Amino acid sequence: MGTLVSKSDQIHPTSLLGTDLHTSTPFILLDEAAMLLSPLLFLGLVSGMKTARSARIQRRIKKSSTKLRFHSVGKPCKGEIATERISIKNPFLMNHFLVSKAEERHYEDLMELFLETASWLQSKGLSQWRHFLEGYGRDDVMQGIKSETTYIITKDDVLAGTVTISTSPDDWDKHIWKQSTLPDSVFVHRLAVKRTFSGHGLGGGVLRWMERELTFPSDKRYLRLDCVANNNKLNEFYVQNGYAYVGSSEDGHSKYQKDIHVI
């Protein structure tokens, strides 16, 4: 029936059938005797190889597709990819700053920013973000990075600020808004500006950039956020930037929203 040709065998030019140029998969090597003796057998072997190759390709496609399952909400579940995505139209902010998705390598810098901000707020007599100083909230920061909902603002590769924008409510949102789902809303969290970049309108610039330079899913109508009610300056900041006050939670957090379609 012919023999396979090993690397050590001397290969005659007419006994080498070649390789598949698309996959570099070698064809079975047959000697001239087998080819001359049984053309039908030879064609059957080639046909069998094509069938086997087709089966391998189908298995690879099937295996790959299991890694690309889709979910209907904005935050991806484990092993899934969300269909609702926010896309960036323009990554530049105020001509000097660049906005991009946070990556895991940014985690430590983000934690440093949150701890710095929490300490500064505490020095002003405000309890906002105190949980960072108490050792909580780190999982939320990493989750924001992994779900690709956290953005960083940099200038000359130096972290200047951050914001998290999600198309689905987390447990905190459900607590504040008293609803398990808010399908018409985008949620804004953890807007922070590094102290060395404060005083230049960067916080308001981030909000304006977010509203103008992001493309939201078509079924979203509102931007929603909250802040502690006793931080008067921060409450005024959101009102000045066009967010409407829509009440307070039972534990003292002001709720704000803005209509995406009138931005």
Side-chain angles (χ1 to χ4, degrees):
M1 292 181 61
T3 58
L4 294 177
V5 181
S6 69
K7 291 183 179 179
S8 60
D9 292 330
Q10 184 176 359
I11 302 175
H12 190 279
T14 59
S15 68
L16 179 61
L17 298 183
T19 58
D20 185 330
L21 296 179
H22 296 287
T23 63
S24 298
T25 302
F27 287 165
I28 292 179
L29 303 177
L30 303 172
D31 60 27
E32 301 92 323
M35 293 174 63
L36 294 173
L37 217 83
S38 182
L40 291 178
L41 175 60
F42 169 71
L43 292 175
L45 287 172
V46 172
S47 176
M49 286 186 292
K50 289 182 177 179
T51 301
R53 177 168 169 257
S54 177
R56 288 198 303 273
I57 292 173
Q58 291 300 320
R59 286 197 297 272
R60 289 172 187 170
I61 293 173
K62 184 177 181 180
K63 184 178 180 180
S64 298
S65 66
T66 62
K67 299 178 181 179
L68 297 173
R69 292 174 294 161
F70 290 89
H71 198 59
S72 60
V73 298
K75 187 177 292 184
C77 297
K78 186 175 181 180
E80 298 182 350
I81 298 175
T83 57
E84 291 185 313
R85 290 293 187 184
I86 298 173
S87 60
I88 298 176
K89 292 185 286 187
N90 176 18
F92 296 101
L93 186 158
M94 298 171 61
N95 298 323
H96 303 292
F97 296 90
L98 181 67
V99 185
S100 59
K101 293 284 185 71
E103 300 175 4
E104 290 190 34
R105 62 190 176 91
H106 299 124
Y107 172 78
E108 294 298 335
D109 288 338
L110 285 170
M111 283 307 309
E112 182 180 339
L113 170 57
F114 292 132
L115 290 169
E116 174 194 82
T117 305
S119 297
W120 178 78
L121 289 168
Q122 189 176 61
S123 72
K124 301 294 182 182
L126 300 169
S127 61
Q128 185 175 352
W129 288 3
R130 183 178 62 191
H131 61 284
F132 283 119
L133 300 175
E134 296 173 346
Y136 301 103
R138 286 160 172 75
D139 290 344
D140 293 334
V141 175
M142 182 57 74
Q143 175 60 28
I145 294 172
K146 289 185 175 180
S147 63
E148 298 185 6
T149 58
T150 295
Y151 299 76
I152 58 170
I153 299 94
T154 58
K155 183 177 182 181
D156 299 327
D157 295 326
V158 176
L159 181 67
T162 183
V163 65
T164 294
I165 311 165
S166 175
T167 56
S168 62
D170 59 16
D171 291 340
W172 178 257
D173 295 316
K174 295 172 186 177
H175 162 71
I176 291 293
W177 298 95
K178 297 300 181 184
Q179 296 183 49
S180 59
T181 60
L182 288 162
D184 62 351
S185 300
V186 174
F187 302 88
V188 182
H189 291 289
R190 296 189 290 277
L191 171 60
V193 174
K194 202 168 183 63
R195 299 307 305 158
T196 52
F197 290 93
S198 64
H200 300 286
L202 184 56
V206 171
L207 289 180
R208 290 188 294 275
W209 174 88
M210 176 184 70
E211 296 159 5
R212 299 170 183 172
E213 304 299 345
L214 292 178
T215 299
F216 300 104
S218 59
D219 61 337
K220 302 302 180 183
R221 180 178 178 183
Y222 296 108
L223 290 168
R224 296 181 188 263
L225 55 85
D226 66 272
C227 68
V228 292
N230 66 346
N231 189 335
N232 295 327
K233 188 174 182 180
L234 185 56
N235 281 262
E236 292 173 2
F237 167 76
Y238 287 123
V239 172
Q240 290 170 358
N241 281 277
Y243 285 76
Y245 172 76
V246 291
S248 298
S249 65
E250 296 175 355
D251 54 359
H253 287 81
S254 299
K255 299 186 287 186
Y256 292 93
Q257 69 181 33
K258 191 170 189 177
D259 195 324
I260 293 174
H261 299 117
V262 298
I263 291 174

